[in-house]
Amino acid sequence: MTSFPVDQTRAFGKLILFGEHFVVYKVPALVGAVSAYTDCKLEYTAGPGLEVIDNRPAVPLYKEKKMDEGIEAINLTLTHLGVDTKTRGVKLTFGGDLCCASGIGASAAQVVSLARAVNIADSRSLSEDEINAAGYEGEKGYHGTPSGIDNTAATFGGLLRFQRTEGAPIFDKKTLVSPIRIVYASTGITASTTEVVGDVRSKKEADEAWFADLIGKYTKLCEEGQKAVEEGDMDKLGKLMNLNHEYLQELTVSCKELDDLVVAARAAGAVGAKMSGTGRGGLMIALTPTEEIQNEVASALEKLAPQ
């Protein structure tokens, strides 16, 4: 292949509107893909082994902290797709404009773009569902027990209602009445999803009644949030985002840096704001119904956020 079509390997980042951590326990979540993407060039080389060149933009220390998990994720994806680097050399070059930070779905975008690259390099005809399945296997390297929400958003894009089941996950694409204006900001802190998910599981197991009550309240909130999105009711959506943040605080997955950004966004005019993703660092998102409010909130967050 003389020129590898890198643009055909693009996989998107994501922001979770509702459902981080709760989605692991088979209740619905709403997730929106962002336009920023990761891409991947794959070259087969003469000797065996794996070479990875990572040109993705990232917050400080993200790639260093995630290096071992990233190699594991790449190997899991390649193994799932039947590519053996012990018998055939593989050189991977990752790029794109998605800035790697906790909460943006960078790991899923990486492994989904890799699956697309294998599909092209080997002249396969993998379906989008098969690409998504390969991304899910790769996500295990980063997250241990992934929900599947990130790789699904990375593969299909758009706004999705996602729910895990005992079998294949259920996901429905949603049509927006009008665009949803969002501002997101990073704390600059990189958290381990595996560790945070494990901590939540420990809290659940320590007090099943408390967790059942909380997840019941969240499930009702998510249903109301989906209705607000479908009706274009931004005020209602914002209030529900604020409440979702409170539930995540109760799970102890927020942190002072995230809370400070959330408070600043609301003070600047956001109708709702919450952490998004793993938590204990990573990202927060703010709902900004107009361009003027969006600019005001962005300006306020730039003064606090390192990225």
Side-chain angles (χ1 to χ4, degrees):
M1 187 177 293
T2 57
S3 179
F4 193 88
V6 175
D7 62 317
Q8 295 179 29
T9 70
R10 291 178 179 179
F12 303 104
K14 68 89 181 66
L15 292 170
I16 296 179
L17 282 177
F18 300 110
E20 44 273 281
H21 292 287
F22 295 110
V23 72
V24 173
Y25 299 97
K26 300 182 177 63
V27 295
L30 286 180
V31 57
V34 300
S35 59
Y37 61 86
T38 293
D39 56 30
C40 177
K41 179 180 180 181
L42 186 154
E43 301 168 89
Y44 286 116
T45 57
L50 174 65
E51 179 184 358
V52 178
I53 299 172
D54 193 346
N55 294 328
R56 298 174 298 164
V59 300
L61 300 180
Y62 175 93
K63 288 190 282 190
E64 290 84 349
K65 290 182 178 180
K66 298 282 190 177
M67 183 178 298
D68 290 344
E69 292 178 354
I71 293 299
E72 175 68 11
I74 288 168
N75 282 323
L76 285 171
T77 307
L78 292 174
T79 298
H80 176 80
L81 293 170
V83 178
D84 186 358
T85 58
K86 293 179 181 178
T87 59
R88 190 180 194 186
V90 174
K91 178 181 178 182
L92 303 173
T93 304
F94 292 100
D97 61 356
L98 178 66
C99 183
C100 300
S102 291
I104 199 68
S107 61
Q110 182 184 36
V111 291
V112 169
S113 70
L114 170 57
R116 293 196 189 284
V118 171
N119 189 38
I120 292 168
D122 290 353
S123 299
R124 304 188 192 186
S125 299
L126 297 178
S127 68
E128 289 293 88
D129 286 337
E130 289 171 316
I131 294 289
N132 192 31
Y136 179 78
E137 290 303 312
E139 276 278 87
K140 293 177 181 178
Y142 277 104
H143 301 317
T145 307
S147 67
I149 193 169
D150 286 16
N151 50 277
T152 302
T155 302
F156 294 98
L159 181 69
L160 302 169
R161 179 189 184 275
F162 176 93
Q163 186 170 5
R164 290 181 70 183
T165 69
E166 293 299 331
I170 301 168
F171 61 92
D172 298 314
K173 274 199 168 185
K174 296 298 176 183
T175 301
L176 298 176
V177 175
S178 58
I180 297 177
R181 292 181 180 270
I182 291 285
V183 175
Y184 64 92
S186 171
T187 61
I189 300 169
T190 300
S192 167
T193 301
T194 302
E195 290 179 10
V196 181
V197 169
D199 286 350
V200 171
R201 182 179 295 108
S202 295
K203 288 182 68 65
K204 171 185 178 294
E205 293 171 352
D207 193 340
E208 293 282 359
W210 161 80
F211 190 83
D213 178 67
L214 187 61
I215 204 168
K217 290 189 291 187
Y218 161 74
T219 302
K220 181 180 178 182
L221 177 151
C222 188
E223 291 171 357
E224 293 178 3
Q226 180 178 325
K227 184 179 179 182
V229 167
E230 291 170 346
E231 296 176 351
D233 188 341
M234 294 299 102
D235 287 337
K236 178 68 171 179
L237 184 61
K239 290 176 182 176
L240 293 169
M241 288 172 64
N242 292 340
L243 184 56
N244 196 175
H245 186 71
E246 292 180 15
Y247 293 164
L248 294 166
Q249 287 175 315
E250 191 171 346
L251 279 182
T252 72
V253 296
S254 190
C255 62
K256 182 180 184 302
E257 292 83 357
L258 282 168
D259 292 341
D260 287 348
L261 289 170
V262 164
V263 169
R266 293 172 185 167
V271 297
K274 62 181 284 289
M275 58 160 277
S276 182
T278 297
R280 296 187 189 166
L283 301 178
M284 56 74 63
I285 59 174
L287 183 62
T288 53
T290 68
E291 184 178 359
E292 182 181 1
I293 294 174
Q294 189 174 40
N295 291 337
E296 288 289 335
V297 171
S299 178
L301 294 181
E302 284 173 358
K303 297 173 183 176
L304 289 178
Q307 281 80 33

